[in-house]
Amino acid sequence: MSFLLAHCTCPDADSAARIARVLVDERLAACVQVVPGLVSTYRWDGVVRQDTEVLLLIKTTRERFETLKSRLPALHPYESPELIAVGVVDGLPGYLDWIAAETAPDRRIE
């Protein structure tokens, strides 16, 4: 099994908390960390902008990522939500086992 750390920016704490909860509830992520206070500088529609955002750090598996990627646009308020994933090269075996267990789609919700 391979693991991913994905990140996604949100416009505010409420949308970030809601998205994080849904991703964990639906077992698309084992854990989502919400990091406030991010300042993003980017070009959108030909204009350079600078906005405060909230960053989501999403721990998931490659096997669940396609479903997560399909689900996120319906949850997110942005027209084009950011979702970028990088492979996890290594980690503590117990933690990686936990990610695998918590994202198993057939696991019963307790």
Side-chain angles (χ1 to χ4, degrees), residues 2-3 13 15-16 20 25 43 46 49 58 63 69 74 79 81 103 107 110:
S2 60
F3 301 92
S15 63
D25 280 347
R43 185 180 315 276
R49 302 170 190 251
I58 305 163
E63 293 77 10
K69 190 164 65 170
E79 177 184 337
T103 57
R107 182 168 174 161
E110 299 167 359

Side-chain angles (χ1 to χ4, degrees), residues 23-97:
L23 295 180
V24 172
D25 280 347
E26 294 182 4
R27 296 195 177 280
L28 298 174
C31 174
V32 180
Q33 294 169 312
V34 178
V35 183
L38 180 74
V39 177
S40 295
T41 303
Y42 59 97
R43 185 180 315 276
W44 187 257
D45 291 333
V47 177
V48 175
R49 302 170 190 251
Q50 192 168 54
D51 290 309
T52 300
E53 296 182 294
V54 178
L55 177 64
L56 301 179
L57 297 174
I58 305 163
K59 284 77 171 250
T60 192
T61 61
R62 183 164 301 283
E63 293 77 10
R64 296 298 282 157
F65 188 71
E66 286 303 315
T67 305
L68 189 158
K69 190 164 65 170
S70 296
R71 181 75 170 106
L72 185 68
L75 301 171
H76 207 288
Y78 286 167
E79 177 184 337
S80 295
E82 174 186 12
L83 180 64
I84 298 172
V86 295
V88 173
V89 176
D90 202 357
L92 289 173
Y95 189 78
L96 298 178
D97 290 345

